[in-house]
Amino acid sequence: MGANRQVHNQKKESTRSITYRLPEKLVNELETEATMKSISQNVLVKQILEKYVQWDRFSNKIGMIPVPKTIVETLGSELDGRDIDEIITLIFPMIKDTVLFIKGGYDLKRCIETLEDYMRASGMNSDHRIEGDMHIFLIQHELGMKWSVFTEQMLTQVFRSFMPEKELKFQTTDTTVILNVQLGSDFNEHDYHS
């Protein structure tokens, strides 16, 4: 069976046309950016607004601050196993609070969706594919092996907290973490609303 890519909104969303009055300079910047990305202005504005709705409007409230990638990369190279354990112990309760705050509940689906929202907002590549009952989560961070170890251990902690018996298979490089886990063909992290 071929791999199916998980998509955020599988049902066709209804749309509505609206008009906003914006400064000409801002419109010109959006036109230029859309042209450079070879997408329509509508798609660009939709991407900008989705990022705001899914992540940016919460980031200040949950105490997130932007940090240059080179600093994160440099800090990561200094980490040892004990440091990673300490960071995970510190961050894990914050993940629960963040998921509760943003998604209005706390379960595995909401955790996965929040992590995907965070990665998208941070400019990291992530993907979720389904092959039969097997789910493949791919995270491409390009921050070095220490951050791969951190990502692997954090994902392990998240899944273990909900499914302690579930077998997790990781493939890890210094830029990428791939998790294979059997969740069933009908598991979809975006359907907790229904």
Side-chain angles (χ1 to χ4, degrees):
M1 181 181 266
N4 296 315
R5 294 189 64 210
Q6 188 75 281
V7 292
H8 268 258
N9 294 305
Q10 293 184 325
K11 297 177 194 142
K12 184 153 174 58
E13 290 184 305
S14 60
T15 60
R16 184 159 47 118
S17 293
I18 53 170
T19 303
Y20 287 117
R21 185 168 296 281
L22 301 170
E24 191 169 342
K25 183 179 177 188
L26 179 58
V27 173
N28 291 339
E29 290 287 345
L30 291 170
E31 286 173 353
T32 302
E33 185 72 12
T35 302
M36 286 174 60
K37 290 185 167 192
S38 299
I39 57 175
S40 70
Q41 289 176 57
N42 193 79
V43 168
L44 176 63
V45 170
K46 182 174 177 272
Q47 289 174 352
I48 291 166
L49 294 176
E50 278 178 342
K51 182 175 180 286
Y52 174 79
V53 167
Q54 289 170 357
W55 190 260
D56 291 347
R57 66 180 170 150
F58 301 112
S59 61
N60 283 343
K61 293 173 185 169
I62 59 177
M64 298 289 280
I65 56 168
V67 178
K69 187 175 179 180
T70 51
I71 291 178
V72 176
E73 202 170 358
T74 304
L75 289 172
S77 65
E78 306 295 319
L79 296 176
D80 61 22
R82 187 183 298 152
D83 294 330
I84 290 171
D85 289 344
E86 286 178 10
I87 293 170
I88 288 173
T89 301
L90 182 70
I91 284 180
F92 197 69
M94 292 167 55
I95 290 177
K96 183 173 183 179
D97 290 344
T98 299
V99 173
L100 278 166
F101 182 71
I102 294 176
K103 303 296 179 185
Y106 184 68
D107 54 35
L108 182 58
K109 289 179 178 182
R110 285 175 171 89
C111 269
I112 292 171
E113 190 178 65
T114 303
L115 289 169
E116 288 173 343
D117 291 347
Y118 167 74
M119 287 181 284
R120 196 176 308 105
S122 302
M124 291 185 208
N125 293 322
S126 70
D127 200 9
H128 177 184
R129 298 174 190 180
I130 307 166
E131 294 181 2
D133 287 345
M134 192 64 71
H135 288 248
I136 299 108
F137 297 94
L138 184 145
I139 299 165
Q140 198 170 37
H141 57 76
E142 300 183 354
L143 291 169
M145 185 52 90
K146 298 290 177 68
W147 286 116
S148 286
V149 172
F150 170 81
T151 302
E152 184 177 322
Q153 291 187 16
M154 181 56 67
L155 287 172
T156 299
Q157 191 92 335
V158 167
F159 276 87
R160 289 272 177 270
S161 68
F162 295 107
M163 302 175 158
E165 307 304 319
K166 194 64 72 176
E167 184 182 5
L168 308 173
K169 292 181 182 170
F170 286 96
Q171 294 168 272
T172 305
T173 72
D174 60 352
T175 61
T176 306
V177 175
I178 301 172
L179 166 61
N180 288 265
V181 57
Q182 205 165 5
L183 296 174
S185 57
D186 59 345
F187 181 92
N188 177 353
E189 68 267 29
H190 313 301
D191 70 1
Y192 58 85
H193 301 287
S194 51

